[in-house]
Amino acid sequence: MKRPTPSPNDPARLPQTADCARRSGTRANGRAGFVATALVMLCSNGPCWADRLYGYADDRGVFNFSDAPSDPRHRLILEIRPPRPVTGSTAARAAATSLRRSPGQLSPLIRDAARQNRLDPALVEAVAFVESRFDERARSPKGALGLMQLMPGTATRFGVSDPLDARQNLAGGARYLRELLDRFDSLPLAIAAYNAGEGAVERYGKSIPPYAETTSYVPKVLAHYSIIRNRPPGAGYGWNATELPPDTRARARCC
């Protein structure tokens, strides 16, 4: 239902000022009345909603409120804070400090996820590295979670109930990679679709979408995949760095 637009002369309408200040015609009736009036203002659905409210009652007993203190008499009277995530929830763990494991520690989980989806473990490892640097609690600004940076919809699609669980996350990411490889029959296109989405690859005629992030992402994954596959047995994981070594970047220009 559309709310009627209040008249400009309606005293109940909040003036459109920078700090959303409002002077109420109601006189203060003790602290309880002052706070109750402030709470109504702060929790209203109008354009003046704020998470903090300052106010004072002047010498005439008139309320004066603002979401930004502009008078020496303003005092913070109400503050609304977002609820803290429940301990142990996905949101709480994602908000916690990062949890990185070495590729050696993750290797059994990577091999298992790859085997179940007929993938080269080196490919799963390369994607996990480029996506999250092996941070199990990684969270992107867009909401992607975990080692393989699964979006909530993708996680649900592939049966991942807890994206911050390393085993589930790797399994979901590997299943997605397998589906993309079967669909596009091309490793570069599958990797591009993992980053930009299947629809984007289709829209650009089954080619790598010309997005800056994607055209950088695909060579990084392929270069890292090459490093892992050509790693001498027993060489360890000394190559694991934040960025690809400079000499691999030129070789990564595959597309």
Side-chain angles (χ1 to χ4, degrees):
M1 177 179 176
K2 185 176 181 181
R3 294 176 181 270
T5 302
S7 166
N9 298 320
D10 186 347
R13 184 184 182 187
L14 298 179
Q16 303 299 307
T17 59
D19 63 358
C20 284
R22 178 188 182 187
R23 174 168 293 189
S24 169
T26 307
R27 295 186 177 276
N29 185 21
R31 180 176 177 82
F34 186 81
V35 173
T37 303
L39 184 60
V40 169
M41 286 189 61
L42 191 63
C43 297
S44 69
N45 292 323
C48 224
W49 192 93
D51 58 359
R52 290 185 181 183
L53 193 67
Y54 301 82
Y56 68 90
D58 63 20
D59 295 337
R60 295 175 298 161
V62 177
F63 297 144
N64 293 266
F65 298 110
S66 173
D67 67 345
S70 56
D71 187 288
R73 292 172 292 179
H74 273 132
R75 297 290 182 271
L76 178 65
I77 55 175
L78 282 174
E79 180 175 13
I80 294 179
R81 297 181 180 180
R84 293 183 178 180
V86 178
T87 302
S89 68
T90 297
R93 284 181 290 145
T97 56
S98 64
L99 177 61
R100 298 181 189 273
R101 289 202 232 174
S102 72
Q105 293 172 314
L106 292 170
S107 183
L109 301 181
I110 290 172
R111 286 199 304 268
D112 189 49
R115 178 181 54 79
Q116 291 183 19
N117 294 280
R118 298 176 289 111
L119 294 173
D120 185 347
L123 176 61
V124 177
E125 185 176 326
V127 172
F129 173 81
V130 175
E131 286 286 349
S132 68
R133 301 302 189 264
F134 304 121
D135 183 356
E136 295 178 36
R137 292 177 180 162
R139 184 187 188 109
S140 79
K142 295 180 181 179
L145 291 169
L147 291 165
M148 302 288 279
Q149 287 291 276
L150 300 179
M151 293 295 289
T154 306
T156 300
R157 174 178 166 189
F158 292 104
V160 178
S161 60
D162 184 358
L164 298 182
D165 177 81
R167 182 180 295 277
Q168 288 192 48
N169 194 285
L170 287 165
R175 287 186 63 189
Y176 191 27
L177 279 171
R178 179 71 265 165
E179 182 177 286
L180 295 172
L181 283 165
D182 291 342
R183 177 171 179 172
F184 295 108
D185 195 27
S186 163
L187 181 56
L189 290 184
I191 294 171
Y194 193 94
N195 176 259
E198 308 101 297
V201 173
E202 295 284 2
R203 283 195 301 274
Y204 284 94
K206 291 191 176 180
S207 63
I208 295 174
Y211 308 149
E213 179 183 329
T214 306
T215 55
S216 171
Y217 176 86
V218 174
K220 282 183 180 180
V221 173
L222 290 174
H224 212 71
Y225 180 37
S226 177
I227 292 172
I228 299 169
R229 291 187 70 190
N230 295 312
R231 183 172 56 208
Y237 296 90
W239 49 264
N240 182 16
T242 303
E243 294 294 340
L244 292 173
D247 62 326
T248 65
R249 291 176 186 159
R251 291 188 282 121
R253 294 170 188 163
C254 63
C255 38

